[in-house]
Amino acid sequence: PAAAQAAASLNVRGSKRPARPTPDLLAGGGLFDIVDPNEPSAAAPGLSTAPTHIEGTDYRCITTRSQLAELVEQLAVAPIMAIDTETTHLSPLRCQLCGVSISIAPGTGVYIPVRSRSPETHLDEATVLDALRPILEDPHRPKTGHNLKYDLLVFRRHGVMLRGLGSDGNGASFDSMVASYLIDASRSSHSLDALSLALLGRTNISIKDLIGHGKDQRTFDTVPLDQATVYAAEDADVSLQLHHIMEPQLRAMGLMDLFARVELPLVEVLAEMEWNGILVDPAELERQRARLQQRIDELRGQIDDAAMNAIGRTFNPDSPKQLAAALFNKPTDADPGLGIKSVKRTKTGHSTDIEVLEKLGQDATITTPIPALILEHRQLTKLVGTYLVALAEEINPETRRIHSSFNQTVAVTGRLASSDPNLQNIPIRTDVGREIRRAFIPAPNSVLISADYSQIELRLLAHLSRDPALIQAFHDGQDIHTAVAAQIHNITPEEVTKAQRSGAKMVNFGIVYGITSYGLGRRLAISSSEAEEVIRGYKKRFAGITTFLEECIAQAQRQGYVETMLKRRRPIPEIDSTNPSRRAFAERTAINSVVQGSAADLIKLAMVELYRYFPHSHQFESNRHPPAAPRLLLQIHDELVFESPAGAPAEAARAIIKSTMEHAMTLTVPLVADTSVANNWFDGK
């Protein structure tokens, strides 16, 4: 089931069915081959309906040394080659290679199997990779593919460094998944199947028709070679055809510079991060789990005691239905409750979400401790289950590291997304949540270097809006929230109260999200009219920001999209909606996309530059041993985390990282990156 869910989340391709192998076809697929490689390789009879041939194509299976030598000669003179890998597992760091597919002309492709249920019929892995290595590792041989990050990691796991994707190539390489994301980040799917259907009018073979699903699912190395050949070759062929269609489109839209300078080189950077992973101490996770579980048990007892005293019965705090009854039922009901007035209703009854519990806990008229106790119980239970237990399960037994995936084609703003596990979701707003970072540690004789952009969205807002007051505050090195509060209230910075600074801080961070007087008032516990005064004062003192916000909306209305500083586009389809709430949301989206998207551009530029600066980090280095030089491990929001040899090398790397991040772009305000060196991720913050 886990494998099936993972495949579904990646928009697995579709298909038909074949019969027996013929050595003149070619197979395809790649990261969707997701069954346990240790399962028996016997194919379930009658399982597959995949085709053994596609009309109008020339798909071949390379099975002899002479065929492979001829292919290598063709690749040496080909202007570009499309590459794809077939594997036994969805994870590129846990899979075995089944074969490589290549296409150099539309309508053609070859599959070179290295692992199958009939190994005597084809070449072995070492022979194939040794022959292809000079081409694959040549940075001046352009390559194209779909989600090349996966293939790069698969090759690296098998001793080959796929080069030429941007950091050290000639700028001619391509990735159709990344290109699709730049052309339209709001597209519902950037999968090979979706693009093939949309741009080529072609329905690709389904991986499910090859390997089945559920309890009948098998690994790709059990697929008959004739079927595998067609599937794999089709992947490479379609990738090549998408390249020919999408590259001119990128150029026509003015996106080629962003693609070639940032997004394509970033593929290598993200692969490097995933390969490196980050070392995690399971003992520290267990210590924290045990401590929190003890507190959870205490809370459970306190909740039971409070419930018995107040309503004469206990309830299950993990059941929203039972909790709602305990809070909102009348004391005279069959299931007596506290009779609290409902805060928010859902289709199924009274809401007991975090917002409701926080409001009840802060209400001075409600004397029962139950809402506050439930809130803490829920937060700690989530920390234990979602983070402490789940993170321990994600540790790779081979490397003792967590190798999160970093995805560049998910967030429509241009920001990176983390998954499997999502390290961006590790809590940082509470002390107990931040403690989880203590479990993330460097290798022996190494340290972690953390580098975090300071107030990056506000600095970009100052640059984009050209507002003189905001620009001056940053140049003077003032506390920006105090400076803004002083401007709003027409007082000196020394006269600013804590409440005034909090209000200014909330507006500063909320202005690009379209914060309303109601929202600000609720956060600051003041009336909407008072909040409106704060917002009105902000806009009066920082008129350049108001003009900028209006310009973002106007651009969306005029063009149907907005652009970041590096010309990344985000479509705003409902900017002219007749529905006021949808139109207002579109306006907020337009503003936020420009600022947050530019922040994404900035840190990506810094990552690409730092990857080039530390040359040893992208040589063939094991992820099981301490680093020989600084290497990038994580990108979390506006923060980068490196692992470096301790001592002088770490201090030198820290200076380089700080300087590179602060000069990645030239703004009208100074860029500031706060850096630290520590023995765990927590102490580095």
Side-chain angles (χ1 to χ4, degrees), residues 5-13 31-32 34 90 147 189 191 407:
Q5 290 172 9
S9 71
L10 288 169
N11 300 305
V12 176
R13 312 182 24 184
L31 68 162
F32 308 120
I34 55 180
L90 182 64
N147 189 18
S189 173
S191 71
N407 311 297

Side-chain angles (χ1 to χ4, degrees), residues 403-593:
H403 299 268
S404 177
S405 295
F406 290 91
N407 311 297
Q408 68 188 112
T409 62
V410 174
V412 290
T413 58
R415 283 192 176 274
L416 296 177
S418 169
S419 63
D420 305 316
N422 183 354
L423 297 182
Q424 293 179 343
N425 272 359
I426 293 178
I428 58 172
R429 293 180 179 175
T430 64
D431 291 340
V432 67
R434 280 192 297 272
E435 283 287 322
I436 295 174
R437 291 189 171 201
R438 288 193 187 278
F440 292 77
I441 58 176
N445 303 314
S446 304
V447 292
L448 294 182
I449 304 173
S450 296
D452 195 356
Y453 275 120
S454 170
Q455 299 175 329
I456 188 57
E457 290 186 2
L458 285 178
R459 293 175 190 273
L460 286 168
L461 180 62
H463 173 81
L464 291 164
S465 68
R466 304 178 296 279
D467 185 90
L470 198 56
I471 290 172
Q472 190 61 48
F474 277 117
H475 275 293
D476 291 345
Q478 299 179 43
D479 175 282
I480 194 64
H481 305 310
T482 300
V484 168
Q487 287 282 339
I488 292 174
H489 298 286
N490 197 27
I491 56 180
T492 66
E494 292 74 24
E495 295 174 297
V496 171
T497 66
K498 185 177 181 180
Q500 289 170 334
R501 184 184 183 278
S502 295
K505 181 178 180 179
M506 195 64 66
V507 179
N508 276 335
F509 287 128
I511 195 72
V512 296
Y513 297 95
I515 194 167
T516 63
S517 57
Y518 171 77
L520 180 62
R522 188 168 58 84
R523 288 172 174 81
L524 298 178
I526 60 177
S527 68
S528 293
S529 59
E530 291 175 298
E532 181 59 36
E533 281 298 314
V534 174
I535 294 174
R536 189 180 295 116
Y538 186 99
K539 291 182 176 180
K540 180 180 179 181
R541 285 292 184 173
F542 301 97
I545 294 176
T546 302
T547 301
F548 164 70
L549 303 183
E550 293 170 349
E551 288 173 351
C552 290
I553 296 170
Q555 183 188 45
Q557 292 170 332
R558 186 172 59 253
Q559 300 177 162
Y561 62 86
V562 291
E563 293 179 320
T564 68
M565 290 174 62
L566 295 188
K567 305 303 180 184
R568 181 188 308 279
R569 294 185 182 187
R570 179 175 182 181
I572 312 292
E574 298 207 66
I575 192 66
D576 294 317
S577 174
T578 56
N579 183 306
S581 62
R582 290 184 178 180
R583 186 173 63 253
F585 178 76
E587 291 174 353
R588 293 195 298 271
T589 300
I591 295 165
N592 173 248
S593 297

